């Protein structure tokens, strides 16, 4: 398993880059096939939509700071939370993780690019197009979709104005387009990992991030066609009079819920697995220790993939699901705690007696892990049928979901940005601004999402613009936390823009990390190792073991340092 890779990555060199592509800053606005450019394109556009989704969230929290609906109309509120959820998932988290896949996979495995560079660029350019389509729904008569980011029929099939072009139509079109883009990306990522590893890089010499990326993209390949097909059927019901989900025509609205959750619960792991990989990459660097239980952690990623495909019905415990089916899916859902728990124990084992450096990437990493442990506990609670039926439609679920999506996954995204920013821009970020960003984000997210659990346990329903005054204190705290999160983005954006423009020049390996990407200049050349593809001779986390990662390692160190002395 560790001797050779199946394919020499230099074979694909002839197809890259696109002839005539710009080689200056304009390349980020062009149809470029360099995976590193595409990765930065993904990340930049996704961060733009993070701001959009954040503004929508703050309007909602402004509405919820007082019990009555006195800031926006309840119908407008429904549109806001539908679009907030859709933007944050489909226009921020999925794309930004695709950005890191593009940045990291080729350089981590020693490949010059993705297996299909043009397909990779096509997948990216579908993403801003579907973002524009989704945002355009604010301009159509009747406004955007207001049926929630899950779009359950029959609510999502209502079309009171009788117009073909309406907010729900554009929502479905955008989601279907997103599904096609993600399927194209998944084919590329999986093929690249399987076929383009450097000589000597067997599966158990491959970085954990690549393991988790492969596991996540396999979920995409299995689950996304189901959701995309279900969305197209919804579109036909809405616009062309079919009855896949219309009870009056013999259809079954529950069928859509099965299609939707078959993908949309595993989709959490499509986002979580790469972040688990990010945690597993960063902890050894800042603890100066090998990743504890590397092989088990790697295999656990695929165990999560398998289990995630047989848990979807736990989102339907209170939808008329038979008791026997509830019991089966309660057990399968709880089983996921085993491989995820293995990862948590591995992270703790890595930290144990390590020489920990509390740099900004490590702070976001530790904060994300602490939040994930809390989210995991509440997740096991929700997997239990009686608890889920009791709190399933309350703010407890909203709090749990945001602890996963923001307090864990987005923390991982920030950790990755701070850790790999020097490698791909050639510039260092400002540490003091990074730590200020972390403190504001950790306090803001805790203040925002923790009181939601309290409100939910007291019985506050979710998806409402007004509520009983007894929930006022929890909502005031949550809203203040949301506004603090808004403030936290200021030092982050200031740091990114100013550091990229005028930051100190980054050396090839500013963190003294181990991995093929750290043997490259900062930023890496277009085809990464060019004609010098390394031969891997050991595993990726040899901290404190005093062993080289590749044959003739000093040659690559000298090459990267020499490249850094030449002004581009």
């Amino acid at each position: 398993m560790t001797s050779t890779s199946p394919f020499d990555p230099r074979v694909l060199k002839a197809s890259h880059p696109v002839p005539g592509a710009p080689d200056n800053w304009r390349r980020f606005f062009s149809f470029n096939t360099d995976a590193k450019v595409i990765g930065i394109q993904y990340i930049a556009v996704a961060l733009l939509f993070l701001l959009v989704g954040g503004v929508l969230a703050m309007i909602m929290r402004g509405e919820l700071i007082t019990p009555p609906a006195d800031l926006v109309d309840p119908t407008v509120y429904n549109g806001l939370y539908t679009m907030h959820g859709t933007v944050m998932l489909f226009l921020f988290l999925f794309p930004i993780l695709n950005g890191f896949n593009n940045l990291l996979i080729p350089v981590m495995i020693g490949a010059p690019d993705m297996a299909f560079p043009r397909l990779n660029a096509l997948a990216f350019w579908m993403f801003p197009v579907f973002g524009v389509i989704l945002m355009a729904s604010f301009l159509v008569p009747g406004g955007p979709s207001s049926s929630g980011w899950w779009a359950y029929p029959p609510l999502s099939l209502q079309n009171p104005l009788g117009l073909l072009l309406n907010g729900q139509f554009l929502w479905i079109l955008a989601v279907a387009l997103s599904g096609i883009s993600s399927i194209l990306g998944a084919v590329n990522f999986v093929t690249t990992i399987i076929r383009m590893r450097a000589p000597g890089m067997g599966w158990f010499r491959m970085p954990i991030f690549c393991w988790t990326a492969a596991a996540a993209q396999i979920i995409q390949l299995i689950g996304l066609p189901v959701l995309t097909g279900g969305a197209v059927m919804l579109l036909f019901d809405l616009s062309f009079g079919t009855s896949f989900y219309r009870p009056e025509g013999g259809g079954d609205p529950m069928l859509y819920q099965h299609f939707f959750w078959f993908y949309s619960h595993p989709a959490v792991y499509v986002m979580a697995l790469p972040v688990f990989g990010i945690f597993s990459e960063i902890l050894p660097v800042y603890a100066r220790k090998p990743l504890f239980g590397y092989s088990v952690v790697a295999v656990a990623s695929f165990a999560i993939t398998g289990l995630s495909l047989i848990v979807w019905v736990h989102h339907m415990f209170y939808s008329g699901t038979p008791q026997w089916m509830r019991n089966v899916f309660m057990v399968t859902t709880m089983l996921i705690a085993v491989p995820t728990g293995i990862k948590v124990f591995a992270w703790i084992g890595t930290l144990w007696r390590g020489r920990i450096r509390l740099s900004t990437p490590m702070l976001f990493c530790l904060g994300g892990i602490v939040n994930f442990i809390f989210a995991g506990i509440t997740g096991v609670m929700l997997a239990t049928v009686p608890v889920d039926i009791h709190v399933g439609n309350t703010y407890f679920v909203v709090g749990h979901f945001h602890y996963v999506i923001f307090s864990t996954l987005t923390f991982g995204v920030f950790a990755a940005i701070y850790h790999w920013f020097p490698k791909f821009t050639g510039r260092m970020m400002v540490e003091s601004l990074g730590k200020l960003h972390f403190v504001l984000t950790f306090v803001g997210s805790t203040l925002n999402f923790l009181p939601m659990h309290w409100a939910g346990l007291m019985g506050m329903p979710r998806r409402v613009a007004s509520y009983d005054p007894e929930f006022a204190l929890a909502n005031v705290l949550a809203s203040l936390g949301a506004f603090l999160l808004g403030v936290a983005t200021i030092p982050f954006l200031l740091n990114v823009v100013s550091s990229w423009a005028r930051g100190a020049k980054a050396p090839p390996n500013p963190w003294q990390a181990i991995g093929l990407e750290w043997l490259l200049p900062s930023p890496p050349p277009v085809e990464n190792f060019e004609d010098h593809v390394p031969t891997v001779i050991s595993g990726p986390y040899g901290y404190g073991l005093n062993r080289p990662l590749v044959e003739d390692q000093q040659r690559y160190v000298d090459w990267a340092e020499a490249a850094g002395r030449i002004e581009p």
Side-chain angles (χ1 to χ4, degrees):
M1 295 291 286
T2 60
S3 59
T4 60
S5 65
F7 188 73
D8 184 344
R10 288 168 293 188
V11 171
L12 296 187
K13 183 177 177 181
S15 64
H16 176 257
V18 171
D23 60 357
N24 52 23
W25 61 270
R26 281 189 284 271
R27 66 187 183 278
F28 296 111
F29 298 89
S30 69
F31 186 89
N32 198 299
T33 58
D34 184 347
K36 296 179 290 297
V37 172
I38 293 172
I40 291 174
Q41 287 174 323
Y42 265 117
I43 292 171
V45 178
L47 288 176
L48 179 64
F49 280 112
L50 171 64
L51 298 180
V52 174
V55 169
L56 296 177
M58 283 195 284
I59 296 173
M60 293 163 58
R61 289 312 317 178
E63 167 56 55
L64 294 171
I65 203 168
T66 57
D70 49 8
L71 181 62
V72 295
D73 182 85
T75 303
V76 174
Y77 180 87
N78 290 342
L80 289 174
Y81 83 69
T82 299
M83 295 298 283
H84 165 72
T86 308
V87 167
M88 285 302 201
L89 291 175
F90 293 103
L91 292 173
F92 166 58
L93 263 176
F94 283 115
I96 203 165
L97 291 171
N98 274 345
F100 284 110
N101 285 340
N102 271 283
L103 284 180
L104 298 178
I105 289 174
V107 295
M108 281 184 165
I109 65 173
D113 204 321
M114 288 292 172
F116 311 112
R118 288 173 175 78
L119 192 68
N120 197 26
L122 175 63
F124 163 73
W125 281 104
M126 293 175 74
F127 154 51
V129 169
F130 98 76
V132 170
I133 291 174
L134 193 66
M135 291 296 106
S137 65
F138 278 103
L139 306 177
V140 299
S145 165
S146 57
S147 61
W149 69 271
W150 47 89
Y152 283 170
L155 183 60
S156 58
L157 297 179
Q158 294 180 5
N159 185 10
L161 298 180
L163 300 174
L164 177 63
L165 190 63
N166 56 67
Q168 190 65 58
F169 177 92
L170 293 177
W171 184 93
I172 299 172
L173 185 63
V175 168
L177 201 58
S178 166
I180 295 170
S181 169
S182 296
I183 291 170
L184 297 180
V187 169
N188 217 346
F189 296 136
V190 172
T191 305
T192 302
I193 291 171
I194 292 176
R195 300 292 296 168
M196 298 184 66
R197 302 189 307 278
M201 181 176 279
W203 280 91
F204 285 97
R205 283 181 179 169
M206 191 169 66
I208 287 293
F209 180 82
C210 298
W211 276 89
T212 56
Q217 296 306 317
I218 288 173
I219 295 176
Q220 295 282 65
L221 291 175
I222 296 173
L224 259 177
V226 177
L227 174 65
T228 305
V232 171
M233 291 160 66
L234 190 67
L235 185 70
F236 273 76
D237 274 13
L238 175 68
S239 304
F240 304 113
T242 57
S243 297
F244 294 109
Y245 308 125
R246 292 183 183 276
E248 64 271 24
D252 184 0
M254 290 297 297
L255 178 63
Y256 176 82
Q257 290 196 30
H258 283 284
F259 286 154
F260 182 82
W261 288 116
F262 179 77
Y263 169 72
S264 295
H265 183 83
V268 173
Y269 296 101
V270 173
M271 296 177 282
L273 279 166
V275 172
F276 293 164
I278 289 168
F279 290 159
S280 300
E281 295 294 334
I282 291 177
L283 287 178
V285 177
Y286 296 91
R288 312 310 298 171
K289 284 183 61 186
L291 178 65
F292 183 79
Y294 160 74
S295 300
V296 179
V297 172
V299 174
S301 303
F302 278 85
I304 291 174
T305 296
L307 288 169
S308 72
L309 295 169
I310 51 174
V311 302
W312 77 94
V313 173
H314 90 252
H315 289 275
M316 301 159 63
F317 282 163
Y318 40 84
S319 301
T321 303
Q323 187 59 44
W324 69 265
M325 191 179 287
R326 288 173 173 172
N327 294 336
V328 170
F329 281 90
M330 178 176 68
V331 172
T332 57
T333 304
M334 287 182 169
L335 280 176
I336 286 198
V338 176
T340 51
I342 287 173
K343 287 181 178 288
V344 172
F345 280 114
W347 297 331
I348 295 172
T350 305
L351 293 171
W352 181 255
R353 295 186 175 180
R355 296 169 55 194
I356 296 173
R357 291 181 292 175
L358 292 178
S359 301
T360 303
M362 186 63 157
L363 289 174
F364 271 105
C365 202
L366 294 176
I369 291 172
V370 169
N371 290 331
F372 175 66
I373 292 172
F374 179 78
I377 293 171
T378 56
V380 172
M381 292 169 64
L382 287 171
T384 310
V385 174
V387 176
D388 189 69
I389 290 177
H390 181 67
V391 300
N393 273 320
T394 73
Y395 252 82
F396 188 89
V397 174
V398 181
H400 162 75
F401 186 67
H402 282 82
Y403 252 81
V404 175
I405 295 298
F406 188 90
S407 299
T408 300
L409 305 189
T410 305
F411 271 53
V413 165
F414 286 137
I417 290 174
Y418 283 103
H419 183 63
W420 280 290
F421 186 93
K423 174 53 60 184
F424 292 101
T425 66
R427 301 286 178 178
M428 301 297 293
M429 297 187 80
V430 179
E431 186 68 7
S432 57
L433 284 175
K435 289 182 175 175
L436 175 63
H437 176 216
F438 168 75
V439 171
L440 293 175
T441 304
F442 190 83
V443 174
S445 61
T446 303
L447 195 59
N448 191 353
F449 306 130
L450 193 60
M452 292 181 179
H453 295 80
W454 170 32
L457 289 173
M458 290 195 301
M460 178 177 169
R462 54 177 172 162
R463 309 162 189 165
V464 292
S466 60
Y467 53 85
D468 191 284
E470 69 173 310
F471 308 123
L473 178 58
N475 280 282
V476 168
L477 294 174
S479 294
L480 292 176
F483 301 146
L484 188 57
L485 282 179
V487 173
T489 60
I490 296 173
F492 171 65
L493 293 177
L494 183 64
N495 203 353
V496 169
V497 174
S498 63
S499 296
W500 201 343
R502 299 181 180 274
K505 196 170 182 181
N509 191 357
W511 316 127
Q512 293 79 50
I514 294 175
L516 291 186
E517 75 268 32
W518 303 108
L519 297 177
L520 290 165
S522 300
V526 173
E527 294 187 340
N528 301 333
F529 288 94
E530 300 177 333
D531 295 325
H532 310 290
V533 178
T535 298
V536 178
I537 57 174
S538 66
Y541 305 108
Y543 296 95
L545 303 180
N546 193 28
R547 69 187 186 196
L549 176 65
V550 301
E551 284 184 354
D552 196 11
Q553 183 159 310
Q554 190 58 42
R555 169 194 180 194
Y556 296 96
V557 173
D558 294 342
W559 168 59
E561 290 180 348
R565 290 193 289 270
I566 300 173
E567 290 293 336

